[in-house]
Every structure is written in C-alpha cells, then in structure tokens.
Amino acid sequence: KRQGSMKQIAANGIDPQRVIQVLLASIQKTPALANCTQESIFRCAMHSVELGFYPGSVDQKTYLVPFKDQCTLIVGYKGMVELAYRSRLIKSIRARAVYEGDKFTYRDGLTPVLDWEPGDTPRDPKKITHAYCIVETKDGGVIYDVMTRAEIDAIRGRSKASGSGPWVTDYAEMAKKTIMRRTLKMAPMSIEMVKADAIDM
C-alpha cells in the first residue's frame, strides 16, 4: 500500500517492489526485526531509498538493526564512500583501520606526518588501535584525520545499536566509517551525505 509514497522519494534506479523483497529477506536473516513496529521499518526503508540504497541489503551499504520494538537504519562504510563521491567534489577518499603490529606514525602541527605500513599479524578487529581517513578534493586540497580506539569506542558507546548489528559483525568497517564521517565534515558534502549524517545522528 505504501509503494506509491516510497516511489515518490526514491532515488533513481530504486524499485519499490524490490525494496519490499529486500525487507522480507532482512527479516528472515534477522528475525528480531519482526518484533519492530511496521512504522519504524517503513521509516528506515524511506530513509534508505531516499539516499539511493536498498535497506539492509547484502552490499552492506545500509544495515537494519532492531532496538527493542524499533528498527534503526545505519549507513555503512561502503554507503558513506558512495555518498561522498556523489558530491563530485571529492577526487579520492580512503579510510583504514590500524592494527597492533602495524608501523603507524602520526604527528600533527605545521609539518604533519601520517604514515602507515601494515604488519604481518592477522587482521583481528579486537586489535585495532587507530583508524584514519584521507580525503583528496578535486581542487587539490587534502583533508585527513586520525582517531584512537578509545575515541571510536566512545562513539560506539553512544549508539543505540552498540551491542548488535554492524558494531558486532563488522567492527573494522564501522571504525572506518566513524573516522570518515568526522573527516568529511571538513570536506565538501553532497545533499545525500548531509541527510545520511543526520540519519546516523
């Protein structure tokens, strides 16, 4: 019944019928979503299609996370990257997670230094020490930032979905997304990026 209103705001290429199929698949994958109100699920679907993504799809651009009887939409790392490039003012953007055993040097000031060399140790999310992001704009500017594990976990702790969803299953991706969000606030942002940031907040 609501496919019409969904079609009105959906970005190009989003098929409302396909959205329904993806939602049903998400509920099968995460049964707790069936306990969420239909209104909250529909709201998340509307936010997702407005950004141009299928809600909670396997491409990990967005996640649907149940919190009591409310469905929560989380924009993933891959979704943030796509939205950043849509501004057409970003030349390149990359975020990386730094692990114990990596060679990592960071110094701010008049002559800043940011250098990372991955080590040979297994990429265990429990051993992430930092995350950083570098954004190059098409006008030649370079913007970057670094966060410690403690800073990342402090932001995770403020999230309703800190104990479930991607914070549990894809911690490294969420760490990269967290530093990317902070870095992009200093860079040119598309309208969709502003919307995604507001949804995440």
Side-chain angles (χ1 to χ4, degrees), residues 156-173:
R156 174 185 181 177
R158 295 197 292 269
S159 170
K160 290 191 300 183
S162 61
S164 60
W167 275 116
V168 175
T169 60
D170 300 288
Y171 182 88
E173 297 293 291

Side-chain angles (χ1 to χ4, degrees), residues 19-95:
V19 171
I20 303 300
Q21 295 171 354
V22 171
L23 284 174
L24 292 173
S26 296
I27 292 172
Q28 288 181 333
K29 182 180 176 182
T30 309
L33 285 170
N35 299 324
C36 295
T37 65
Q38 290 184 16
E39 280 299 324
S40 68
I41 293 174
F42 179 68
R43 182 175 60 249
C44 289
M46 292 288 278
H47 284 320
S48 189
V49 300
E50 189 177 11
L51 295 175
F53 301 134
Y54 285 99
S57 57
V58 294
D59 58 14
Q60 298 180 328
K61 291 179 181 178
T62 62
Y63 298 85
L64 294 176
V65 182
F67 181 73
K68 297 181 179 179
D69 67 343
Q70 294 295 304
C71 179
T72 302
L73 179 73
I74 295 180
V75 181
Y77 167 71
K78 293 178 182 179
M80 283 290 183
V81 171
E82 183 173 321
L83 292 173
Y85 280 120
R86 284 188 201 170
S87 72
R88 299 184 180 180
L89 299 173
I90 303 295
K91 179 181 178 182
S92 72
I93 181 169
R94 60 188 186 276

